[in-house]
Amino acid sequence: MGGKQDGDEACGKPAKYDPSFRGPIKNRSCTDIICCILFLAFILGYIVVGIVAWVYGDPRQVLYPRNSTGAYCGVGANKDKPYLLYFNIFSCILPTNIIMVAENGLQCPTSQVCVSSCPEVAWTVEISQFSQNVGEVFYTANRNFCLPGVPWDMPVIQSLQQELCPSFLLPSAPALGRCLPLLNSTLPELPGISSNTSISQGISGVLDSLNARDITVKIFEDVAQSWYWILVALAVALVLSLLFILLLRLVAGPLVLVLILGVLGVLAYGIYHCWEEYRVLRDKGASITQLGVTTNLSAYRNVQETWLAAVIVLAVLEGTLLLLLIFLRQRIRIAIALLKEASKAVGQMMSTLFYPLVTFVLLLICIVYWAMTALYLATSGQPQYVLWAPNASLPGCEKVQMNTSCNPMSQPMNSSCPGLRCVFQSYSSTGLVQRSLFNLQVYGILGLFWTLNWVLALGQCVLAGAFASFYWAFQKPQDIPTFPLSSAFIRTLRYHTGSLAFGALILSLVQIARVILEYIDNKLRGAQNPVARCIMCCFKCCLWCLEKFIKFLNRNAYIMIAIYGKNFCVSAKNAFMLLMRNIVRVVVLDKVTDLLLLFGKLLVVGGVGVLSFFFFTGRIRGLGRDFENPSLNYYWLPIMISILGAYVIASGFFSVFGMCVDTLFLCFLEDLERNDGSPDRPYYMPTSLLKILGKKNEAFPGDKKKKNK
């Protein structure tokens, strides 16, 4: 007895009876005020960062291409010229120019001009046209691809030498705002361009990666053709998820039994299969001594020791699971009863199922704000222009200092250096905002993680408050508050913003540490030795475990905050101690719930996926013309969208159900410690749990209610 008491003291003292406790405490005060002030100040700073980014940033450089002078295509003076044409597309992709292209900020070393439409046919300047003027060769033939301001009477040979007009055109299509040659076109004989195999393969590789426009157009066409049926599939997923949760009160017991028997059956078949493989290899005499040590892991499939080890491991798992079912059968019955009660709670408060929509909208706002802020910060700075010539080795270019700053409004057209122009190079990295760009981006990343985790914490605490009011209602549904979800939402925002921010900050710091570690591992992957990789793997594993533990601790701390209104540290401690005093029940309920929700997700996602496959592939016939499958380029696209949407919907519904189970479980443990079933201290748990535990209430709910009056 003394040892048991010492064990209980190590995990904290059990909760004492409080005659004034009637569920989530309404008379509470603000918690973790310092964290609340810090969080609000951080949000204000986050808003200031967004304003600074908006003032100094220019996202047009990402959204619109620039010509050689730095002007945007598709806006301003070039509003009717949305596409960018490269005079010599080959200079952008030749292997000898890769370093130079990178140094120039991914600007191709060729003239670039904004055009209203891309070339449709291949064309090359003929030698006989060199003596003609630009107007005859280009303008009269509707080839408006020269740089702006090139005079009509300029000789063609001079315009080509100065790269004022293109020497050839290729049939192109707009992709990402740029005119890129088509893969299926026949390349003409191009002056000064080699047609060897390596260049052709390089062109094909780059254009193949950039030829995503056709695929993108087809994808949008498929979505436009099938969006209605995709919505139908998502509606089916919503109905299936709702029915699964509501019907658990009827089928939770048989369903858990079937799932457990299914796991036992899978393990039994695994033992049989591994034994058969072992017996065959044993008769052949295939042993690991003949194979030796090898890095080819697939070779170990052909030795008998591998399958013998598999038989032993599966047999141990099978035996362990059977023993757990025998000795923990009562706790499994408690878990099933809590699942049924959670189904009733969700049925009584249907609005909780749609609260994930609020969470989704808030998360979307946080992500969009961060993305826009990061985009504006990355594009801050003034454009820089430098002198550039197609061939700096020509006579007259020796005295010109290339890559020096210049004014794009006064192009050096009459210089002795052929083709000398003032072109856009990059954005300046000087200035207060540009020098602080890295720090501002780090601030934005911390803001992203902190706000996302705070929104998730808000959802967990609000749902916990709503479901706790269900459990601690002595007469259900009469004693359940009228608007439990909205009351919990207002109560959480008013009193516990700081506590949620505290827990979210701890989790955010761990997640950022994981991101940094992943970045370092990715950068040093090629230079690491086996010892360094092992150490890095251990660090990553430790941080992963720490993140999982903090998520578990925060989740239960938010439940205690929703019920008692204490600060984060006290709530986390009380929740952890309560769970440690009932660790076996925690493990059993957690695994049974995980197994059940996994089956529910597989049922919803698998059902929607199968229906979508048969419908969009035209294998369901006889439905009439109104239900015919649409004609699609890629039938797998709406199927994948339907499956992904069904998974998101099922995860949203089942996350609410999982939070309900966890909340009711903590309330159930508190109920066991607080009350004893006497008329003054009756249990709040349902009758099914009382029967499983062999307990009963000596007073009826009506008697309790009258006494309280």
Side-chain angles (χ1 to χ4, degrees), residues 573-592:
K573 174 190 173 184
N574 293 340
F576 184 74
M577 293 301 179
L578 179 62
L579 295 174
M580 288 300 101
R581 292 195 295 269
N582 301 271
I583 187 63
V584 178
R585 286 172 176 164
V586 172
V587 174
V588 172
L589 178 69
D590 183 63
K591 297 309 172 186
V592 171

Side-chain angles (χ1 to χ4, degrees), residues 91 102 146 208 246 280 296 312 342 356 370 394 405 408 435 469 471 512 551 559 583 590 598 644 679:
S91 62
C146 294
D208 186 39
L246 296 180
V280 171
N296 185 13
I312 295 173
W370 168 80
L394 292 176
S405 60
R435 290 195 302 268
S469 64
Y471 185 92
I512 292 176
K551 284 184 176 180
I559 295 175
I583 187 63
D590 183 63
L598 175 62
L644 180 62

Side-chain angles (χ1 to χ4, degrees), residues 170-358:
L170 298 175
S172 308
L176 303 177
R178 293 160 176 82
C179 294
L180 299 176
L182 299 175
L183 278 179
N184 55 2
S185 60
T186 303
L187 299 180
E189 292 294 332
L190 304 176
I193 301 297
S194 174
S195 58
N196 58 60
T197 306
S198 61
I199 293 179
S200 299
Q201 291 175 349
I203 295 171
S204 299
V206 173
L207 295 183
D208 186 39
S209 63
L210 293 176
N211 196 28
R213 176 185 174 276
D214 292 338
I215 298 177
T216 304
V217 171
K218 291 180 180 179
I219 288 175
F220 279 111
E221 289 177 352
D222 287 347
V223 173
Q225 289 286 337
S226 58
W227 68 269
Y228 176 79
W229 299 110
I230 292 175
L231 292 180
V232 172
L234 298 182
V236 171
L238 189 147
V239 173
L240 287 178
S241 302
L242 183 60
L243 288 178
F244 183 83
I245 291 175
L246 296 180
L247 292 178
L248 277 180
R249 69 182 72 180
L250 302 177
V251 299
L255 188 57
V256 171
L257 179 61
V258 170
L259 292 176
I260 293 176
L261 293 178
V263 173
L264 291 174
V266 170
L267 291 176
Y269 175 77
I271 294 173
Y272 167 77
H273 178 75
C274 293
W275 175 259
E276 288 296 320
E277 293 288 340
Y278 165 74
R279 185 176 58 82
V280 171
L281 294 174
R282 183 191 60 186
D283 296 339
K284 292 181 179 179
S287 176
I288 196 172
T289 57
Q290 301 174 355
L291 177 63
V293 180
T294 178
T295 57
N296 185 13
L297 299 180
S298 60
Y300 289 102
R301 296 176 54 187
N302 300 321
V303 295
Q304 57 178 319
E305 286 81 1
T306 302
W307 296 102
L308 180 60
V311 169
I312 295 173
V313 171
L314 292 178
V316 170
L317 289 176
E318 184 88 356
T320 303
L321 185 57
L322 285 173
L323 291 176
L324 289 176
L325 290 176
I326 294 174
F327 291 103
L328 299 180
R329 60 186 184 276
Q330 183 174 359
R331 288 180 171 84
I332 294 176
R333 293 175 61 196
I334 293 175
I336 294 173
L338 283 173
L339 291 173
K340 293 180 179 179
E341 192 68 11
S343 177
K344 295 179 182 178
V346 173
Q348 289 288 341
M349 295 180 286
M350 294 289 290
S351 59
T352 57
L353 287 175
F354 300 96
Y355 183 82
L357 293 177
V358 178

Side-chain angles (χ1 to χ4, degrees), residues 305-476:
E305 286 81 1
T306 302
W307 296 102
L308 180 60
V311 169
I312 295 173
V313 171
L314 292 178
V316 170
L317 289 176
E318 184 88 356
T320 303
L321 185 57
L322 285 173
L323 291 176
L324 289 176
L325 290 176
I326 294 174
F327 291 103
L328 299 180
R329 60 186 184 276
Q330 183 174 359
R331 288 180 171 84
I332 294 176
R333 293 175 61 196
I334 293 175
I336 294 173
L338 283 173
L339 291 173
K340 293 180 179 179
E341 192 68 11
S343 177
K344 295 179 182 178
V346 173
Q348 289 288 341
M349 295 180 286
M350 294 289 290
S351 59
T352 57
L353 287 175
F354 300 96
Y355 183 82
L357 293 177
V358 178
T359 301
F360 175 77
V361 171
L362 294 177
L363 291 177
L364 186 62
I365 293 174
C366 295
I367 294 174
V368 170
Y369 180 80
W370 168 80
M372 295 301 296
T373 302
L375 176 63
Y376 273 83
L377 284 175
T379 57
S380 61
Q382 295 297 321
Q384 292 181 319
Y385 300 88
V386 295
L387 291 174
W388 174 85
N391 191 351
S393 62
L394 292 176
C397 297
E398 299 87 352
K399 297 182 180 180
V400 179
Q401 295 182 354
M402 299 296 176
N403 295 325
T404 57
S405 60
C406 60
N407 184 4
M409 302 305 295
S410 57
Q411 294 286 342
M413 300 289 292
N414 299 324
S415 174
S416 59
C417 179
L420 182 64
R421 290 194 307 279
C422 187
V423 299
F424 170 76
Q425 183 188 42
S426 61
Y427 280 84
S428 64
S429 58
T430 59
L432 179 61
V433 176
Q434 287 71 41
R435 290 195 302 268
S436 306
L437 182 61
F438 177 77
N439 296 331
L440 294 177
Q441 292 285 20
V442 171
Y443 192 97
I445 292 175
L446 177 59
L448 173 67
F449 280 94
W450 200 357
T451 52
L452 289 180
N453 287 317
W454 185 86
V455 170
L456 294 175
L458 175 66
Q460 292 175 354
C461 195
V462 169
L463 291 175
F467 292 126
S469 64
F470 171 85
Y471 185 92
W472 295 110
F474 200 76
Q475 285 187 320
K476 300 178 181 66

Side-chain angles (χ1 to χ4, degrees), residues 437-653:
L437 182 61
F438 177 77
N439 296 331
L440 294 177
Q441 292 285 20
V442 171
Y443 192 97
I445 292 175
L446 177 59
L448 173 67
F449 280 94
W450 200 357
T451 52
L452 289 180
N453 287 317
W454 185 86
V455 170
L456 294 175
L458 175 66
Q460 292 175 354
C461 195
V462 169
L463 291 175
F467 292 126
S469 64
F470 171 85
Y471 185 92
W472 295 110
F474 200 76
Q475 285 187 320
K476 300 178 181 66
Q478 293 87 343
D479 293 344
I480 300 176
T482 307
F483 300 105
L485 186 64
S486 58
S487 300
F489 184 82
I490 296 173
R491 188 166 58 241
T492 303
L493 276 183
R494 180 179 178 182
Y495 297 108
H496 307 303
T497 297
S499 298
L500 302 184
F502 191 10
L505 178 61
I506 297 174
L507 181 58
S508 299
L509 294 177
V510 176
Q511 291 175 338
I512 292 176
R514 286 193 64 195
V515 171
I516 295 174
L517 203 61
E518 289 288 348
Y519 176 79
I520 296 174
D521 183 43
N522 183 64
K523 287 296 182 182
L524 303 178
R525 184 165 297 172
Q528 286 179 356
N529 55 37
V531 177
R533 285 199 299 269
C534 180
I535 294 175
M536 185 66 69
C537 184
C538 291
F539 276 122
K540 291 164 65 176
C541 181
C542 291
L543 284 179
W544 180 84
C545 294
L546 180 60
E547 181 184 358
K548 292 295 182 183
F549 174 75
I550 292 177
K551 284 184 176 180
F552 171 79
L553 187 63
N554 285 3
R555 184 182 180 91
N556 291 282
Y558 298 147
I559 295 175
M560 301 300 280
I561 290 173
I563 299 175
Y564 298 105
K566 302 291 182 63
N567 61 50
F568 177 81
C569 292
V570 173
S571 300
K573 174 190 173 184
N574 293 340
F576 184 74
M577 293 301 179
L578 179 62
L579 295 174
M580 288 300 101
R581 292 195 295 269
N582 301 271
I583 187 63
V584 178
R585 286 172 176 164
V586 172
V587 174
V588 172
L589 178 69
D590 183 63
K591 297 309 172 186
V592 171
T593 304
D594 288 346
L595 183 63
L596 195 63
L597 296 184
L598 175 62
F599 174 77
K601 288 183 181 179
L602 292 177
L603 178 65
V604 174
V605 176
V608 171
V610 170
L611 289 175
S612 300
F613 174 78
F614 279 96
F615 177 77
F616 288 112
T617 56
R619 303 193 182 190
I620 302 179
R621 304 186 183 278
L623 297 179
R625 296 187 60 182
D626 294 336
F627 297 95
E628 288 183 355
N629 61 301
S631 179
L632 303 172
N633 297 299
Y634 309 108
Y635 70 86
W636 50 265
L637 179 65
I639 296 175
M640 295 304 298
I641 295 177
S642 300
I643 292 176
L644 180 62
Y647 178 80
V648 172
I649 291 174
S651 298
F653 275 83

